[in-house]
Amino acid sequence: MVLGSQSAGRLAVLGALLPAQRIRVMPPENGEEPGFEGLADIAAIEARIALIARLKHVDVARQVARLSVEERSVCGGILTADTVIVGTRSDGQSVVCGKPPATPGLAEAVVRDWFVNLYAGRWHVAKTALCFSMPGANPIEQLVTTRVLFHPESAELVDWYLSTGEPFGKAGGYAIQGGGSLFVQGIDGSVSNVAGLPLWETRNLLRSILP
């Protein structure tokens, strides 16, 4: 199985389905992705994450095609994915919460805004677009959505959470598989989807190659 991702969290989730020796990590070579600027409609956001997963898949498939015949012979399916966290402001506008900015100070301000104005005491969603193919077959695409409710007091703990360093580099500014689970009051859907890879849906995609 070729996992087209550099996400350690996504690899860990896939490791629950397949042994490590059956997974080959091959991140996309092109690190540039279409952004979400100007997208406030949920349908447009869903279309964009599906496009990103599709572009990643094309990139990784080209890499596999360049491998030697022997190396290609042991490559099964190719799996790529893209996950975003989407909150809703009081005016109904959808906001994509990606990875916090790399700039110190700005990153803390952005995560604090998300926790105070989008997360605390409110539902937000995690959306993952999957793109999977077997050799010689057309890719299969799927979109998985999970709703997440944070405790109303979450905003009061955001400074502590920022001090742990965990929010940085994480989509949405939190890791549900880590300390971010503290804030969760309710969840509707796949927990692993919030971590970057929905296990049940991925398992169904992989059934054709699992023994």
Side-chain angles (χ1 to χ4, degrees):
M1 168 55 97
V2 177
L3 175 62
S5 174
Q6 60 183 357
S7 166
R10 196 165 282 146
L11 175 60
V13 173
L14 185 59
L17 294 176
L18 293 171
Q21 63 269 25
R22 293 190 63 183
I23 303 172
R24 176 168 180 166
V25 176
M26 190 178 293
E29 293 177 325
N30 184 2
E32 297 183 2
E33 299 175 355
F36 293 88
E37 295 80 8
L39 300 183
D41 176 76
I42 198 67
I45 293 170
E46 291 177 345
R48 183 59 52 87
I49 62 172
L51 173 63
I52 293 172
R54 193 179 308 130
L55 291 174
K56 289 179 179 180
H57 191 278
V58 170
D59 185 310
V60 175
R62 287 172 177 165
Q63 293 183 61
V64 171
R66 295 200 303 263
L67 297 175
S68 67
V69 174
E70 182 178 358
E71 287 181 302
R72 287 201 308 271
S73 68
V74 296
C75 289
I78 298 174
L79 176 66
T80 58
D82 192 66
T83 301
V84 297
I85 303 297
V86 184
T88 306
R89 295 203 183 275
S90 56
D91 61 2
Q93 181 181 15
S94 296
V95 179
V96 174
C97 306
K99 293 180 181 180
T103 307
L106 179 59
E108 288 83 352
V110 168
V111 173
R112 193 175 290 109
D113 173 59
W114 291 344
F115 269 70
V116 172
N117 297 308
L118 299 178
Y119 296 165
R122 305 177 65 182
W123 289 92
H124 60 272
V125 297
K127 290 183 175 289
T128 298
L130 299 171
C131 190
F132 172 77
S133 72
M134 290 294 292
N138 292 325
I140 301 171
E141 299 183 8
Q142 187 171 359
L143 181 71
V144 182
T145 300
T146 301
R147 299 174 69 237
V148 183
L149 174 66
F150 270 20
H151 287 280
E153 298 84 2
S154 297
E156 302 170 13
L157 298 174
V158 66
D159 286 329
W160 161 80
Y161 190 47
L162 285 166
S163 73
T164 69
E166 187 175 88
F168 308 113
K170 304 293 192 307
Y174 72 92
I176 199 170
Q177 68 273 33
S181 61
L182 169 70
F183 305 107
V184 178
Q185 185 178 40
I187 194 161
D188 179 14
S190 167
V191 176
S192 59
N193 183 46
V194 188
L197 195 66
L199 270 176
W200 184 261
E201 290 79 6
T202 302
R203 175 257 184 191
N204 287 341
L205 290 175
L206 302 183
R207 287 184 69 182
S208 59
I209 63 171
L210 289 173

